[in-house]
Amino acid sequence: MNGIFFAFVVVSFFFAAIHQLSWIPVVGEKSPIEVLGQSMIGSAADSVTLAISLIGVMALFLGLMKVAEKGGLLVIIAKVVKPLMIRLFPDVPATHPAMGAMIMNISANSLGLGNAATPFGIRAMQELDKLNTHKGVANNAMVLFLAINTSSVTLLPSGVIALRAAADSMDPAGILPTTLFATICSTITAIVIAKLLQNFWSLDKGTFSFQTYARTQKKKTNKVEKGDYPLWVSYLALLSLVSLVPLTILYGRGVAPWIIPSLMILLLGFGFFRGVRIYEAFVEGAQEGFKVAVKIIPYLVAILVAVGMFRASGAMEFLIGPIGSVTGSFGLPTDAIPMAILRPLSGSGAYGVLASIIQDPNIGPDSYVGYLVSTLQGSTETTFYVLAVYFGAIQIKKIRHALFAALSADVMGIAAAVFICSYLFLN
């Protein structure tokens, strides 16, 4: 992120300086350098205003999620996906701690609990490394796990909904149908590519390999344990999720206004009937939401100022305009390209770009571009960050096909987001 931030500032200053040297003074018109300076001050002020307006909405959503978490929703989701996980990861014994950590990580990610998901993810990688006989080399289970992580299995993009609400969106939850469609497409792509390519990036031959160990253990260990849900429950849940895709395409715009009120009723009701002290739990989660909203102010200031400079200097139009003239015919306009490029590189950077786009009065959160960039943020992940953090935690240097599988999922996520947003908001 250091390089990206510095590049934005330097390129912006360079373009503004070039325009300044060739600028002919006109009465009542500001010079390019003046425009750049005012953009910096204005962007900094806007970022704080945005963060303040975000506090209440973030507190609301994290309060609701805390009620669901204390009610055991995370555990229920984990039990539902476990029978599928032991089939996706035949190399990992069902009773091994790695399986439990992976399940909890994916479950937390599906609810948009990014901060809660990361510790589970790192623990999963540490446990997977204990099964790895080729230290420093990613095995198939690691690659598949991170491919699924970077594809961003998201059922509730609460952070994006909160940001859209703070930007005065008339339909902040309108991205739920589009996010669901895009995240299903990207996750399926991640799994298929990772599975297909693992045969082409094999581990060292002629030695005892992780795969050989897993095959000898599979029949004894990969069984559904007592207390877990049976496989048909997992398939039914998966079928129900997939069936939502055509429903969102047909009725997404009509259903969207009901989502936020329904979420509040359902999550509070779930917690109440599970014996949770919902008021205390909600307040606890809201306090976390307040802290998160305040904590991101410096990040928002940094990235919004950099993006504001990039726009005001004319660098964005010069560098991305030619690309947008081509991708625009496919539903990816120029204004959305920075988001598509930055999302795999930096989470905070992409978050800042999203904020700057939907705060732009010429675009807004409820325009086609607003829906598209919100969907991109909610349905894709910071690929390079995830790979760096998770592989770095266990000193993996040879990542094999992990990057290719992750980037393939990113490309599919972008294509799916463009398709579904074009269908719902351009027709």
Side-chain angles (χ1 to χ4, degrees), residues 257-278:
W258 291 80
I259 292 174
I260 292 181
S262 300
L263 273 177
M264 188 156 189
I265 290 294
L266 291 174
L267 293 179
L268 289 180
F270 174 81
F272 182 81
F273 288 108
R274 297 278 292 188
V276 176
R277 298 181 65 85
I278 58 174

Side-chain angles (χ1 to χ4, degrees), residues 185-186 189-190 193 197 402-414:
C185 292
S186 63
T189 300
I193 296 297
L197 294 184
L403 180 59
F404 191 91
L407 291 180
S408 298
D410 287 338
V411 171
M412 177 55 72
I414 293 171

